[in-house]
């Protein structure tokens, strides 16, 4: 457990968080479609290389989650992308799930696949430099979902994955994502997330996972995207901290939130509001940081537009977002920073 805990703590070192750059082939194509760029292997490499070579981001980014293709890829100059990260002291991680697939006899719900052969794949990824991994389960909120069936099968799979990671000496990032799609209230999100987290931690305990050597990557407690009753950052922070205090043991070193479709500014402001409460003395036993995909990348993606001439502008856009989220992880962000120095 010693090494796992050291790695987990390094990932949530003060002022640092994770860049999730592990979009599957289908998801990265969607992102590239939004900027009119073809999703070729070279374009994917160029885009990820520009993120990994943005100036000074190692002050803000401790780890990067890679997709299988990327962990094998070399930069244009021939250096493996993993080495480019390692030379900056950034820890490489790897997505190991095979995606959320329809759950039999549960319309509208999914179970995440990828356990078959995982022990061997973890060994291969370890050899390629991965020191942490990620597995994402998703849950949809409706009037009567998520079902306990969906909650239980995904919790079991997360437990199996986490135990196999720790056996291999890899820190598991445990990602149960209650999706923000829908018109549900913030209270309903809290209720569903609490049920999901209770089941996940029961399975982690049952399957002998050492909590000091994991990181939790959850959703924040938010109203559904189509809910008319909006919530302030401080209301979101209060609900999120209450929910996690009740369901997440204090032995977990860090909670690294996903952005989940929130705007860049909201993802940053909400994380900041939680850390401001912590700084003001609210009981918060874990480091609270970010593991954002969209909220760290969308400014860079739109600055880049698939054109090499925009590489430096895209790097700067990514570095700016990484800096602001670093401030939020310390509770020292303010909205004025969005435009300062630009
Ligand atoms: P978002 O921050 O875009 O939700 O992505 C994080 C992630 O890794 C989802 O699995």
């Amino acid at each position: 457990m010693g090494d796992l805990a050291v790695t987990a703590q390094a990932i949530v070192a003060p002022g640092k968080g994770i860049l999730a750059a592990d979009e599957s082939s289908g998801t990265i194509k969607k992102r590239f479609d939004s900027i009119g760029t073809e999703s070729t292997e070279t374009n994917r490499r160029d885009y990820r290389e520009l993120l990994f070579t943005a100036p000074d981001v190692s002050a803000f980014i401790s780890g990067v989650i890679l997709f299988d293709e990327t962990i094998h890829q070399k930069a244009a100059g021939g250096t493996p992308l993993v080495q480019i990260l390692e030379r900056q002291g950034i820890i490489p991680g790897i997505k190991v799930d095979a995606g959320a697939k329809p759950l039999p006899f549960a319309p509208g719900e999914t179970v995440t696949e990828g356990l078959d052969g995982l022990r061997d794949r973890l060994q291969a990824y370890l050899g390629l430099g991965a020191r942490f991994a990620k597995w994402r389960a998703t849950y949809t909120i409706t009037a009567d979902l998520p079902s306990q069936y969906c909650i239980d099968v995904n919790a079991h799979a997360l437990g199996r994955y986490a135990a196999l990671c720790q056996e291999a000496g890899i820190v598991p990032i445990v990602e149960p994502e209650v999706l923000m799609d829908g018109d549900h209230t913030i209270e309903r999100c809290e209720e569903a997330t609490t049920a999901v987290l209770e089941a996940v931690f029961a399975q982690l305990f049952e399957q002998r996972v050492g909590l000091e050597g994991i990181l939790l990557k959850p959703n924040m407690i938010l109203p559904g995207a189509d809910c008319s009753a909006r919530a302030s950052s401080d209301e979101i922070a209060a609900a999120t901290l209450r929910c996690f205090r009740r369901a997440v043991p204090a032995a977990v070193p860090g909670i690294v939130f996903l952005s989940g479709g929130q705007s860049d500014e909201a993802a940053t402001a909400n994380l900041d509001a939680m850390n401001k409460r912590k700084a003001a003395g609210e009981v918060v036993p874990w480091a609270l940081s970010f593991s954002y995909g969209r909220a760290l990348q969308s400014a860079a993606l739109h600055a880049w537009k698939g054109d090499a001439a925009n590489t430096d502008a895209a790097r700067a856009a990514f570095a700016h977002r990484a800096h602001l989220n670093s401030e939020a992880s310390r509770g020292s962000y303010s909205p004025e920073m969005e435009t300062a120095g630009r």
Side-chain angles (χ1 to χ4, degrees):
M1 185 52 56
D3 289 352
L4 291 170
V6 168
T7 301
Q9 277 160 9
I11 293 172
V12 290
K16 293 192 183 183
I18 297 173
L19 165 66
D22 61 324
E23 297 83 4
S24 61
S25 310
T27 303
I28 196 76
K29 180 178 181 312
K30 260 196 268 171
R31 304 278 183 268
F32 280 18
D33 284 350
S34 76
I35 54 162
T37 297
E38 201 186 340
S39 182
T40 63
E41 186 176 345
T42 305
N43 283 342
R44 292 191 293 271
R45 191 273 314 277
D46 289 350
Y47 173 62
R48 282 154 172 163
E49 181 177 346
L50 84 79
L51 294 176
F52 303 168
T53 53
D56 305 323
V57 287
S58 62
F60 316 126
I61 301 291
S62 52
V64 175
I65 315 175
L66 304 168
F67 186 55
D68 179 73
E69 175 183 85
T70 320
I71 202 170
H72 292 98
Q73 252 170 348
K74 292 188 168 70
T79 309
L81 290 175
V82 166
Q83 257 183 45
I84 288 185
L85 296 174
E86 287 170 343
R87 283 179 189 165
Q88 302 172 75
I90 297 176
I91 303 173
I94 182 75
K95 183 224 293 289
V96 300
D97 68 66
K101 304 288 161 58
L103 178 63
F105 311 119
E109 302 202 284
T110 61
V111 62
T112 300
E113 296 189 349
L115 288 170
D116 286 357
L118 181 56
R119 178 179 270 134
D120 293 341
R121 286 193 293 127
L122 287 168
Q123 284 306 322
Y125 286 137
L126 191 66
L128 290 164
R131 290 171 56 202
F132 70 99
K134 164 187 136 172
W135 179 290
R136 171 174 176 254
T138 60
Y139 312 84
T140 300
I141 296 183
T142 66
D144 32 41
L145 301 182
S147 67
Q148 194 62 43
Y149 166 38
C150 172
I151 289 173
D152 289 345
V153 292
N154 277 296
H156 191 264
L158 279 164
R160 293 269 292 121
Y161 143 81
L164 283 163
C165 283
Q166 290 196 336
E167 180 193 68
I170 290 177
V171 171
I173 296 199
V174 173
E175 181 177 358
E177 177 177 6
V178 177
L179 299 166
M180 62 187 274
D181 307 332
D183 62 0
H184 55 269
T185 62
I186 188 170
E187 290 80 13
R188 185 82 183 95
C189 176
E190 182 170 352
E191 179 184 61
T193 303
T194 302
V196 164
L197 291 172
E198 282 175 357
V200 166
F201 281 97
Q203 281 297 324
L204 294 178
F205 181 71
E206 179 95 8
Q207 299 190 45
R208 307 177 182 184
V209 172
L211 297 184
E212 291 83 354
I214 72 160
L215 292 170
L216 180 69
K217 174 166 174 168
N219 52 286
M220 297 178 191
I221 304 301
L222 302 168
D226 301 326
C227 176
S228 53
R230 306 313 301 163
S232 69
S233 284
D234 193 55
E235 287 164 347
I236 289 164
T240 303
L241 293 176
R242 177 177 59 223
C243 171
F244 287 86
R245 254 193 316 271
R246 287 174 176 166
V248 180
V252 172
I255 297 181
V256 287
F257 291 96
L258 57 91
S259 58
Q262 300 181 69
S263 72
D264 299 358
E265 293 80 2
T268 306
N270 294 342
L271 176 63
D272 182 66
M274 286 184 242
N275 279 306
K276 281 191 164 60
R277 283 177 162 263
K278 181 175 179 177
E282 187 163 325
V283 174
V284 179
W286 337 268
L288 298 173
S289 192
F290 56 90
S291 176
Y292 294 162
R294 283 163 284 180
L296 270 173
Q297 291 187 47
S298 66
L301 185 71
H302 288 90
W304 179 54
K305 298 189 195 77
D307 184 345
N310 298 327
T311 296
D312 282 341
R315 286 188 177 122
F318 170 56
H320 184 59
R321 249 2 292 153
H323 174 221
L324 296 187
N325 284 304
S326 168
E327 295 292 344
S329 75
R330 298 176 183 274
S332 50
Y333 162 82
S334 71
E336 294 72 50
M337 293 175 177
E338 292 287 344
T339 46
R342 305 222 94 206

